[in-house]
Amino acid sequence: MNSKQAGHVCSIQSHVVSGYVGNKCATFPLQLLGFEVDAVNSVQLSNHTGYKVIKGQVLTDEDLDQLVEGLVANELDNYTHLLTGYVGSASFLRRVGQFAKMLKQKNPNLIYVCDPVMGDNGKLYVPEELKDIYRDDIVPLADIVTPNDFELKLLTGKECRTMADLQSAIKKLHEKGPKTVVVSSANIDNKLVAVASTIGKEKMLKIEIPKIQATYTGSGDLFAALFLAHYYLQDDIKSAFEKTVNTLHDVLLNTLEHSKVLNNNTHRARNIELRLIQSKHFIENPKIRFFAEDL
């Protein structure tokens, strides 16, 4: 990692006992890439919501306060990064914002990576009031934001039907504070693209990604974790972006091939759980086949 201090991430997102979303998706790849990870589970569920039954618990804002107090009391709150993903309540999200401010006061160089998990494919799956909190309170604190195109629209109020729309919305999101915006997926002109933009170096890049005819829960969580790691390790947005997109695509292909072998509709949700452990070699040694182009 050259002269940089070793990465130490506090990751606040969902946890499932079985399967791979949220912290179960983020922790393993971050550790493989050399990061210490302290996971705070915003919810603890038996499995993700693609299954017919979901059981579990929700962490409250008071619960988060207790965990933070313990970390602070033992001087364990020394992080290079804060990563946040799924949060299900307004009060908890506001507390996350307070925690982010506290960590930045302690370490002004802390990098806050916010995955504003709100919905996908035009469907909101968190309470609507979270949209305003993300837009007005959380995004301005973030250094890196990784929305999908639907979340970008929610945060900016701008439609993202064309590449020009997408670029305009990204610029508007930059105005709210984040230096780096990475749109993990967008359907533009019937093509799947990812776009990364950073101010300061004034770069905007796109990668066209071959479509995989399936939807995988947890792919956005994995994207955010991979980009956090590679951008810190490479300090080069083009290289970090390419490694993130290519790694994710290989994990999804690996998962798709496995599900074809199983070919069992009875346990469809289980069959398409991300093959994260079995994709260890892709995470550690990304093969670059899809390259970033300047926009």
Side-chain angles (χ1 to χ4, degrees):
M1 246 187 270
N2 302 322
S3 60
K4 281 184 179 175
Q5 72 182 102
H8 192 174
V9 181
C10 180
S11 178
I12 304 177
Q13 43 189 322
S14 60
H15 170 81
V16 288
V17 175
S18 178
Y20 293 97
V21 299
N23 274 328
K24 284 283 289 287
C25 239
T27 301
F28 179 67
L30 284 169
Q31 288 172 333
L32 278 182
L33 294 169
F35 289 75
E36 289 283 352
V37 182
D38 292 359
V40 177
N41 300 324
S42 57
V43 297
Q44 174 169 270
L45 302 175
S46 53
N47 42 262
H48 68 66
T49 55
Y51 290 81
K52 60 182 180 180
V53 176
I54 308 110
K55 298 288 184 180
Q57 302 81 37
V58 177
L59 200 73
T60 67
D61 44 325
E62 290 86 359
D63 294 331
L64 178 59
D65 282 344
Q66 286 191 21
L67 295 177
V68 170
E69 284 171 19
L71 292 170
V72 171
N74 291 299
E75 297 183 10
L76 298 171
D77 56 333
N78 300 297
Y79 297 107
T80 59
H81 294 79
L82 172 65
L83 171 62
T84 61
Y86 176 83
V87 169
S89 75
S91 59
F92 192 93
L93 186 57
R94 289 193 183 95
R95 280 293 206 287
V96 167
Q98 292 170 10
F99 185 46
K101 288 178 184 175
M102 187 195 87
L103 291 180
K104 281 183 172 260
Q105 283 179 342
K106 178 147 191 172
N107 175 14
N109 296 317
L110 178 122
I111 300 163
Y112 176 19
V113 180
C114 172
D115 183 8
V117 179
M118 289 184 282
D120 202 359
N121 299 316
K123 182 182 177 185
L124 196 71
Y125 44 66
V126 296
E128 192 157 343
E129 59 186 320
L130 266 64
K131 177 182 70 173
D132 294 341
I133 300 170
Y134 270 116
R135 185 190 63 217
D136 300 333
D137 302 330
I138 303 299
V139 166
L141 295 171
D143 301 284
I144 300 170
V145 185
T146 62
N148 58 39
D149 55 349
F150 176 62
E151 291 158 345
L152 182 63
K153 176 188 171 184
L154 292 175
L155 292 170
T156 63
K158 286 184 169 288
E159 292 289 344
C160 298
R161 294 195 181 96
T162 67
M163 187 56 73
D165 291 342
L166 200 65
Q167 289 175 276
S168 176
I170 288 170
K171 287 174 182 173
K172 185 168 182 179
L173 198 57
H174 276 309
E175 290 170 6
K176 296 183 183 297
K179 290 181 180 176
T180 302
V181 175
V182 190
V183 181
S184 56
S185 62
N187 282 290
I188 304 292
D189 299 327
N190 208 28
K191 292 178 182 175
L192 184 65
V193 299
V195 177
S197 173
T198 185
I199 53 177
K201 296 178 183 176
E202 301 301 330
K203 236 183 181 357
M204 193 176 286
L205 303 161
K206 77 164 183 176
I207 299 177
E208 289 191 10
I209 311 162
K211 286 187 178 180
I212 296 174
Q213 298 304 320
T215 301
Y216 295 100
T217 306
S219 57
D221 307 327
L222 179 56
F223 185 99
L226 290 169
F227 188 79
L228 179 160
H230 288 303
Y231 201 21
Y232 187 64
L233 296 171
Q234 308 294 322
D235 197 26
D236 174 73
I237 192 167
K238 183 175 186 291
S239 175
F241 187 37
E242 288 174 343
K243 287 186 174 186
T244 298
V245 169
N246 281 273
T247 301
L248 178 59
H249 193 261
D250 277 335
V251 172
L252 296 183
L253 280 180
N254 193 1
T255 305
L256 177 66
E257 291 307 311
H258 179 70
S259 67
K260 284 179 179 175
V261 170
L262 294 175
N263 194 24
N264 183 348
N265 289 328
T266 308
H267 300 289
R268 175 158 172 74
R270 186 180 182 89
N271 294 349
I272 58 171
E273 289 281 7
L274 295 183
R275 299 276 288 171
L276 207 57
I277 308 304
Q278 298 82 0
S279 300
K280 175 178 178 287
H281 54 296
F282 296 129
I283 297 167
E284 291 179 300
N285 300 292
K287 295 177 181 176
I288 310 303
R289 296 193 304 279
F290 313 121
F291 294 90
E293 305 169 28
D294 286 317
L295 275 173

